Amino acid sequence: MENAVDALKIAFAVIVFVIAITTAFAVFSQAREVSDYLLYLNDKTNFEQYVPEYNRTNRIVGIETIIPAIRRYVTDNENYSIEVIDGSKKYVFDLTEDEENNLTPTQILKNLEKSLEELVKKYSDAFFEERYSESIYRGDIAYLPNGETIEKKQTNTKVKITYIKQ
């Protein structure tokens, strides 16, 4: 009789163990599904959109709109660039180009202030057509000596605003 009671205790313990294992797998599976979903939502590459050319009429703006936009390019890192075009003269404000030219932050600010003064003097009464474009670009690809390829996975959006003198 004692053996039968011990056998029932062992069988009950095994059933409890199986239920616990099943519950643990179900919880871990659900946690994995939730984490996969959250990672999917946080990954910018899943929501890339095709940005077509704007077919609408472009805005006509004055220098009072251009100056704050130009000042913003210094603080918006590499994701923002501005061009001001007046026939043969072209002003380009792009941190990526500035860094490629090995300009220091103080040199960038000096060039910015000099260009802003020139723009205000020359175009205080002028009007410009504003064209806005947005492009999606992927990160850099690096090739290691051993043949491996490393790609920066982050996808960014670069905003480019072009002002053309009327």
Side-chain angles (χ1 to χ4, degrees):
M1 193 63 162
E2 286 181 23
N3 290 342
V5 171
D6 287 340
L8 285 173
K9 287 180 182 177
I10 290 172
F12 179 73
V14 168
I15 289 173
V16 168
F17 180 73
V18 169
I19 290 172
I21 290 283
T22 305
T23 305
F25 278 120
V27 167
F28 290 140
S29 175
Q30 188 176 14
R32 184 189 53 79
E33 287 177 15
V34 168
S35 68
D36 287 347
Y37 183 69
L38 289 175
L39 288 173
Y40 173 79
L41 291 178
N42 286 331
D43 188 7
K44 288 182 181 181
T45 59
N46 294 321
F47 300 104
E48 288 181 357
Q49 296 178 19
Y50 172 70
V51 181
E53 291 284 329
Y54 280 16
N55 293 331
R56 65 180 175 90
T57 309
N58 296 318
R59 270 186 353 160
I60 303 297
V61 297
I63 197 73
E64 70 279 352
T65 305
I66 298 173
I67 298 298
I70 291 173
R71 288 197 179 276
R72 195 173 333 135
Y73 105 96
V74 175
T75 60
D76 268 359
N77 301 327
E78 298 102 22
N79 300 336
Y80 190 77
S81 69
I82 294 179
E83 288 183 356
V84 179
I85 301 171
D86 174 22
S88 61
K89 184 77 172 171
K90 183 177 185 180
Y91 298 90
V92 178
F93 302 96
D94 189 353
L95 275 184
T96 309
E97 286 185 22
D98 291 345
E99 289 172 0
E100 287 174 3
N101 294 332
N102 296 324
L103 295 178
T104 64
T106 54
Q107 289 173 329
I108 291 171
L109 288 175
K110 274 185 187 177
N111 291 345
L112 173 68
E113 292 301 324
K114 180 182 168 191
S115 296
L116 287 178
E117 284 179 29
E118 188 176 328
L119 283 171
V120 169
K121 284 180 186 175
K122 283 176 76 172
Y123 306 116
S124 61
D125 295 333
F127 291 102
F128 294 83
E129 179 182 357
E130 179 184 61
R131 294 184 181 171
Y132 175 85
S133 65
E134 195 172 9
S135 60
I136 297 172
Y137 66 96
R138 294 201 178 270
D140 298 328
I141 297 176
Y143 300 100
L144 299 178
N146 63 0
E148 259 186 78
T149 303
I150 299 174
E151 181 180 356
K152 181 181 166 190
K153 290 291 183 186
Q154 184 179 7
T155 302
N156 293 317
T157 303
K158 181 149 186 150
V159 174
K160 181 178 180 182
I161 302 174
T162 306
Y163 297 99
I164 301 173
K165 187 171 182 294
Q166 294 286 308

